[in-house]
Amino acid sequence: MKYWKKRQLLRSFSLRDDNGVLMTDKLHMKYLQLPFFNKKRHQLKTQFDKWCFFLSNLEMFDKIPNFLNEPVFVKAFEVATVHNMDPNDYILYQISKSKKYDMEILQDEAIERGLAEGIERGIKQGMKQGLKQGLKQGLKQGLEQGLEQGLEQGLKKVEKMEIDHVLAIHAKGYTAILISDLLNIPLKRVLEIIDKHAELD
C-alpha cells in the first residue's frame, strides 16, 4: 500500500505473477492522477502538461483559453461541451448534426442537378449555334456556357441552403465554432454569415 500513498501524477502498471515475473508484454495500464497535477499556466512546457492542465481545469472553462487554442484542444472542448448538454440541448444538437448531413446530400444533388441542366442547355445551345457556325465549334461553346450557367445556379442554391442552416442553428444559441464543426463550414464563413445577417436586422 505504500506505493499508492506516494504522490505521483502518472503511474504505469503491467501484469506480473506473485514472484514479480512479467506475465505478458501485451497488457500495460497507465493511471493519470489529476489531483496530483499542480502546475500553473506559465509552467506548462510539454503537450502532456497542457493536456493535464486542460483536463484538470475543464469544468472552469467557458471557452478555450488562448494558450490552449490548438485544434486538438478546441475539438476536445467541443466534445466535452456536447457531452455536458442537458437532454433538450443534446436532442437539438443531434437534429443539427442530421441537418448537416442532409445539407451535404442536398449540396451534392444541387451541384449534380446544376451540372446536368447546364450540360443539357449547353448541348441545345451548341446544336443551334452548330448549325450556323459548324457543329464542332458550336457544341464546344454551348457546352462550356451551359456548364458555367449550371454550376452558377447549383452554387447559388447551395449557398442559400448554407446561409439558412447557419442562421437557424445560430438562432438556437449555438456558438460559431460549434456551427462550423456541425456543418463542416470554415469558421470565417460562419462568422461572415452571422455578421451580415446582424447588419440586415
Side-chain angles (χ1 to χ4, degrees):
M1 294 304 274
K2 285 181 182 177
Y3 185 76
W4 282 101
K5 289 178 183 175
K6 184 180 174 189
R7 294 175 65 86
Q8 192 172 331
L9 175 63
L10 181 64
R11 295 181 182 279
S12 299
F13 296 91
S14 53
L15 192 59
R16 297 177 181 272
D17 68 11
D18 292 340
N19 298 319
V21 177
L22 185 67
M23 299 294 291
T24 176
D25 62 354
K26 305 288 185 204
L27 181 63
H28 295 275
M29 294 167 278
K30 303 272 185 194
Y31 286 91
L32 188 60
Q33 299 180 107
L34 289 175
F36 297 142
F37 182 78
N38 55 13
K39 287 188 179 181
K40 304 297 179 208
R41 174 182 167 175
H42 66 276
Q43 296 173 307
L44 306 179
K45 304 285 185 221
T46 65
Q47 202 69 0
F48 179 73
D49 287 347
K50 288 182 180 180
W51 270 111
C52 290
F53 186 89
F54 175 84
L55 293 170
S56 296
N57 296 284
L58 182 58
E59 288 181 5
M60 293 182 278
F61 296 156
D62 290 328
K63 62 177 187 173
I64 286 286
N66 286 339
F67 69 96
L68 290 176
N69 194 5
E70 300 173 23
V72 68
F73 295 115
V74 170
K75 184 69 178 173
F77 182 74
E78 288 172 5
V79 168
T81 302
V82 168
H83 287 286
N84 200 32
M85 288 177 177
D86 65 44
N88 290 335
D89 284 344
Y90 186 73
I91 289 168
L92 289 173
Y93 172 78
Q94 291 297 340
I95 290 169
S96 67
K97 288 279 277 188
S98 175
K99 284 183 179 178
K100 171 190 167 186
Y101 296 126
D102 292 346
M103 187 172 141
E104 287 173 359
I105 290 168
L106 288 172
Q107 283 176 342
D108 292 343
E109 286 177 0
I111 290 170
E112 284 176 23
R113 205 175 310 119
L115 282 171
E117 287 173 14
I119 289 170
E120 189 177 328
R121 283 186 192 171
I123 289 171
K124 285 179 184 175
Q125 214 173 351
M127 288 178 78
K128 285 179 186 175
Q129 289 178 358
L131 293 172
K132 295 176 185 174
Q133 299 174 1
L135 187 59
K136 187 175 180 181
Q137 185 183 353
L139 276 172
K140 181 183 176 191
Q141 201 172 19
L143 189 59
E144 285 173 2
Q145 288 173 356
L147 277 172
E148 190 176 313
Q149 290 171 1
L151 268 174
E152 192 175 314
Q153 287 177 353
L155 289 172
K156 280 182 183 174
K157 288 178 188 176
V158 167
E159 185 179 8
K160 185 178 181 331
M161 286 188 299
E162 179 182 78
I163 291 169
D164 291 346
H165 279 84
V166 167
L167 294 176
I169 295 170
H170 184 255
K172 294 187 188 316
Y174 286 93
T175 65
I177 292 173
L178 201 52
I179 294 170
S180 172
D181 181 52
L182 288 173
L183 300 180
N184 201 22
I185 299 171
L187 180 58
K188 185 178 178 184
R189 173 68 178 142
V190 172
L191 292 169
E192 282 173 7
I193 292 170
I194 293 169
D195 291 345
K196 190 173 182 183
H197 181 70
E199 287 172 12
L200 294 174
D201 289 346

